[in-house]
Amino acid sequence: MRRFVVVGHRAVTSSNFNLNDLCGSAGRLDVLLRCINSVFFLSHDLRRDAELYLIFKGEPDPPKTIKFVGNELKYLNPDERSTAALIRNALMKKIKKSEIRSTPGIYISRNNFEDTIEKLANISKLIYLREDGKPFDQKETDQDYTFVLGDDRNLSKEEEGILKKFQPEIISLGPISYHSDHCITILNWLLDQNTNPYESK
Amino acid sequence: MRRFVVVGHRAVTSSNFNLNDLCGSAGRLDVLLRCINSVFFLSHDLRRDAELYLIFKGEPDPPKTIKFVGNELKYLNPDERSTAALIRNALMKKIKKSEIRSTPGIYISRNNFEDTIEKLANISKLIYLREDGKPFDQKETDQDYTFVLGDDRNLSKEEEGILKKFQPEIISLGPISYHSDHCITILNWLLDQNTNPYESK
């Protein structure tokens, strides 16, 4: 299983946003939508061995976490607008204590960044993607990884402090700084090389 | 310079499409929009050493080619909708014989797939991305590459025939089949490893 956590620092926590303005009124929701695409889409298929946790920290009602479970997902299309409509459905849900299913494979909860990281630290190896990290060297092919990224902004000092309590490995994709969704695409491909190496063709 | 050619088999050739329905009414324009993002976007920067040629083959007025020149591009945002508006502007232009500039860095012409490939074969090494190709091994770091891909459909037999006249190298990113925009992101990253290797950090 491969897991990704992306922090939406300004991502709106109300369903009352405009599908025609996903960058502005929705707090750079467009970045998160592209991350969803990168985590799950293969050509004419979805990655069933993947999960994504999007942390919504924007106004008016933070925090909320929307979880995507690859082997349950339905109704996911690759374009931004239709995925935004699925997010809007999830944000319409009234959440009390526990996680609620919105549509197949999509769950919303009151979990914050720390709740999410703590839970994932128990079941997987945490990887923090940061420009000054070391190259990703995937030694254990059966390892469960959780990759943690910011949206268009890096993790805040506070978020970094929380993450570091759980002793993540800090890795980098090289000297160039990439969009979060592009990082996810590259990481997925790197992981694929071990599970489906060229040599086995 | 790195160049990409993506064939939009059904991509509309009129500006009369709905920005709220980029998958359906616009002939899977959404796929091409994500390719634009993958070719050019870096974190808080654009790739200036990149060009993209989108071949529009859909109704009502094919063929048209829209060219994107990295070192001239302006007004490009990462989200699908705003990039679709730039495409719409280009498709509004009345094209006669020669290429016309629509907005900075974006040009539209009557060139078809063969015109485009023939021109690029003269100035770069053609690479055809296909599932049964060999792994991409970038030997010459100063090589100018042109990568040729389909949209959500592979190249047709006819397109493949045209391309093969120019003796492309056929490469693959492994046994898994990826979306075109994801392929571009991975190829850009692989090329970055030579121009900005980890070792130089």
Side-chain angles (χ1 to χ4, degrees):
Chain A
M1 179 69 80
R2 50 188 79 174
R3 295 180 180 85
F4 298 87
V5 176
V6 185
V7 180
H9 290 102
R10 290 151 290 160
V12 286
T13 43
S14 147
S15 61
N16 189 24
F17 62 83
N18 184 347
L19 285 178
N20 297 339
D21 181 23
L22 299 169
C23 308
S25 72
R28 295 309 306 271
L29 182 60
D30 64 309
V31 178
L32 303 186
L33 297 172
R34 287 191 291 278
C35 289
I36 298 168
N37 176 306
S38 290
V39 170
F40 293 108
F41 277 99
L42 292 171
S43 187
H44 308 293
D45 206 355
L46 287 179
R47 291 184 187 272
R48 298 300 173 184
D49 62 336
E51 287 181 5
L52 170 64
Y53 297 75
L54 297 179
I55 319 288
F56 284 65
K57 298 187 80 169
E59 293 300 324
D61 188 25
K64 292 181 178 176
T65 290
I66 302 184
K67 180 175 83 175
F68 299 76
V69 179
N71 67 8
E72 298 175 21
L73 271 175
K74 285 185 185 168
Y75 317 128
L76 189 67
N77 288 306
D79 66 297
E80 292 172 10
R81 189 184 172 90
S82 71
T83 307
L86 289 176
I87 295 280
R88 193 169 61 173
N89 287 344
L91 290 172
M92 277 177 190
K93 296 281 176 196
K94 285 200 176 125
I95 324 164
K96 291 189 176 165
K97 270 206 158 168
S98 57
E99 190 174 74
I100 293 172
R101 195 184 86 149
S102 169
T103 45
I106 303 183
Y107 298 82
I108 185 160
S109 73
R110 277 281 171 208
N111 288 343
N112 63 19
F113 180 66
E114 182 157 13
D115 300 330
T116 303
I117 294 297
E118 184 170 13
K119 180 187 148 202
L120 295 173
N122 285 324
I123 55 170
S124 62
K125 180 167 181 54
L126 286 180
I127 308 267
Y128 176 23
L129 224 67
R130 209 175 61 180
E131 274 101 14
D132 61 351
K134 59 181 187 177
F136 179 47
D137 179 17
Q138 187 195 356
K139 293 171 209 80
E140 298 156 74
T141 57
D142 58 349
Q143 178 77 57
D144 271 13
Y145 291 101
T146 296
F147 298 92
V148 184
L149 303 88
D151 50 0
D152 59 316
R153 297 183 179 176
N154 293 331
L155 293 196
S156 67
K157 285 265 175 242
E158 189 195 342
E159 288 155 356
E160 199 169 87
I162 290 167
L163 182 56
K164 285 194 172 169
K165 285 197 295 184
F166 299 96
Q167 298 176 305
E169 192 174 328
I170 300 177
I171 71 126
S172 158
L173 292 173
I176 296 179
S177 185
Y178 301 100
H179 279 200
S180 302
D181 59 314
H182 295 174
C183 291
I184 291 170
T185 297
I186 296 161
L187 289 165
N188 259 334
W189 182 77
L190 288 170
L191 292 173
D192 291 343
Q193 302 319 296
N194 266 350
T195 44
N196 292 275
Y198 284 131
E199 296 76 43
S200 74
K201 277 191 82 180
Chain B
M1 178 69 79
R2 51 188 80 173
R3 296 179 180 86
F4 298 88
V5 176
V6 185
V7 180
H9 290 101
R10 289 151 290 160
V12 286
T13 43
S14 147
S15 61
N16 188 25
F17 63 82
N18 185 347
L19 285 178
N20 296 339
D21 182 22
L22 299 170
C23 307
S25 72
R28 293 310 306 269
L29 182 59
D30 64 308
V31 178
L32 303 185
L33 298 171
R34 287 192 292 278
C35 289
I36 299 169
N37 176 304
S38 290
V39 170
F40 293 108
F41 276 99
L42 292 170
S43 188
H44 309 291
D45 206 355
L46 286 181
R47 292 185 187 272
R48 298 299 173 185
D49 63 337
E51 287 180 4
L52 171 63
Y53 297 75
L54 297 179
I55 318 289
F56 284 64
K57 299 187 80 169
E59 292 302 322
D61 188 26
K64 293 181 178 176
T65 291
I66 302 184
K67 180 175 82 177
F68 299 76
V69 179
N71 67 8
E72 298 175 22
L73 272 175
K74 285 185 184 167
Y75 318 128
L76 188 67
N77 288 306
D79 66 298
E80 290 172 12
R81 190 184 170 87
S82 71
T83 307
L86 290 177
I87 296 279
R88 193 169 61 173
N89 287 344
L91 290 172
M92 278 177 190
K93 295 282 176 198
K94 285 200 177 123
I95 324 164
K96 290 189 179 165
K97 269 208 162 172
S98 57
E99 189 175 73
I100 294 173
R101 196 184 86 150
S102 169
T103 45
I106 303 183
Y107 298 83
I108 186 160
S109 72
R110 279 279 171 207
N111 289 342
N112 63 20
F113 180 65
E114 183 158 10
D115 301 329
T116 302
I117 293 298
E118 185 170 12
K119 181 188 148 201
L120 294 173
N122 284 326
I123 56 171
S124 63
K125 181 168 180 55
L126 287 181
I127 308 265
Y128 175 23
L129 223 68
R130 208 175 62 181
E131 275 101 13
D132 61 351
K134 57 182 189 176
F136 180 47
D137 178 18
Q138 188 194 355
K139 293 170 209 82
E140 300 156 74
T141 57
D142 58 351
Q143 178 76 60
D144 270 14
Y145 291 101
T146 297
F147 298 92
V148 184
L149 304 88
D151 50 0
D152 60 317
R153 296 183 179 176
N154 292 331
L155 294 198
S156 67
K157 285 269 177 236
E158 189 196 339
E159 289 154 357
E160 201 170 85
I162 292 167
L163 182 56
K164 284 193 171 168
K165 285 197 295 183
F166 299 96
Q167 298 176 305
E169 194 173 326
I170 301 176
I171 70 126
S172 159
L173 293 172
I176 296 178
S177 185
Y178 301 101
H179 279 199
S180 302
D181 59 313
H182 295 173
C183 290
I184 292 170
T185 297
I186 296 160
L187 289 165
N188 258 333
W189 181 77
L190 287 170
L191 292 172
D192 292 343
Q193 301 319 297
N194 266 350
T195 45
N196 292 274
Y198 284 131
E199 295 76 44
S200 73
K201 277 191 81 177

